[in-house]
Amino acid sequence: MTRVTLVVGAGGVGKTTIAAGIAALAARRGARTLAITVDPARRLADALGTTLDNHPSPVPGHDRLDAAMLDAAAAWEQIARTHADPATARRLLANPYFRAVADRFPSGQAYAAGEQVLTHVDAAGYDRIVVDTPPAAGGTAFLHAPRRIRTLVAGRALRVLTGPRLPGRRLIYSVTARPALMVADSVLGGRLLEDIAEFLLDLSAIYPGISRRSRRVEAMLQHAGVVVVTTPDPGPIAEARRVTTERLVPRGVPPEIVFNRMLPAGWAGTFPTPAADPIAQNLARWGLEASHHQAVLNAFAAHTGLNPRSVPWLAAAPDSPAALADLIAAAGIDPVS
Ligand SMILES: Nc1ncnc2c1ncn2[C@@H]1O[C@H](COP(=O)(O)OP(=O)(O)OP(=O)(O)O)[C@@H](O)[C@H]1O
Ligand SMILES: [Mg+2]
């Protein structure tokens, strides 16, 4: 069975780095592994030293390790083709509103990613799938996306406008035939209302499929392992606490907490600081900072009852999958347990 791991956390804390490291270590320990990124920045590709698109491709020089990057537009295209008849799918894909959902609606993107992951789970080609989530809402947008997408496609507006008792298309024209839209339509050449009407009707056609599948995506995410990444800084820690204690509470398996960019525990302490010696003063400052890092990690542990892992702050960011795997192994994170 494929195990799915979601790597979540605030912006810039090291999610992509940790996700790439976990995937590289899992592969090194024998698991057929897919690292998949939803991050529109190409950092996972950079971290793994490869170029990525929607289709998994092998990471050069690393057996059992594939990587892919979610192309939301391509994923939505696949969703439309899976859930609608060919004519409806064609119309949807040509419709600017469908494109807008695919490109700009964050839950849409996160949902498309969830469907992709489920597709890989169903295909059973991997033992392990590690998902590098985008930073929105600490990555938990990903967890809530299936419900949100159902709300969108089953929303009241859509039901009223396309409901069985009403001639949908005509109603949309009359409901929306407000002066502003009529002006917009005449300015834009009369396509706006028609596009909206067509979009809503076609979307309602794919609703049963999305509804069914989104429940499976939801169940898969519910059983996924979650790695919450933070740095020892107040903002990311507040986010990690919120995600851990509020968002992830209903889950059976507790999340793995990773404190990234930690100063070495051995540096913690106070040092004598001869006023005339700037180097000694600098070391003293780092000693205090290292103590602070340990204190915030301990406070997090006490507050949540979890045992966070520390990943050291490296002078140069790891630049190969092997170095990333070493970093994760040294932190005691076991990606295949
Ligand atoms: N332990 C570390 N030591 C040194 N540099 C690190 C460490 N972890 C991450 N970095 C560097 O910090 C930067 C941000 O890391 P990364 O891209 O993994 O964060 P992210 O959480 O994925 O960011 P985003 O939210 O923007 O997607 C990168 O340049 C990365 O190489
Ligand atoms: Mg990232």
Side-chain angles (χ1 to χ4, degrees), residues 10-17 39 43 135 260-261 311-314 317:
V13 294
K15 294 177 297 297
T16 300
T17 304
D39 189 344
R43 291 226 192 90
N260 188 25
R261 287 207 213 103
V311 170
W313 189 356
L314 303 176

Side-chain angles (χ1 to χ4, degrees), residues 87-164:
T88 308
R90 254 197 316 280
R91 267 201 314 276
L92 270 174
L93 292 169
N95 191 296
Y97 293 93
F98 190 73
R99 289 266 166 233
V101 169
D103 295 342
R104 288 187 223 123
F105 178 53
S107 291
Q109 208 181 46
Y111 175 69
E115 275 218 9
Q116 286 261 300
V117 174
L118 183 61
T119 303
H120 291 303
V121 169
D122 285 347
Y126 296 101
D127 304 312
R128 194 65 194 265
I129 299 177
V130 182
V131 185
D132 169 33
T133 64
T140 51
F142 202 80
L143 297 172
H144 303 296
R147 187 176 297 274
R148 294 229 173 96
I149 207 84
R150 280 203 300 275
T151 313
L152 172 76
V153 291
R156 200 167 151 267
L158 198 55
R159 274 207 315 278
V160 169
L161 292 170
T162 61

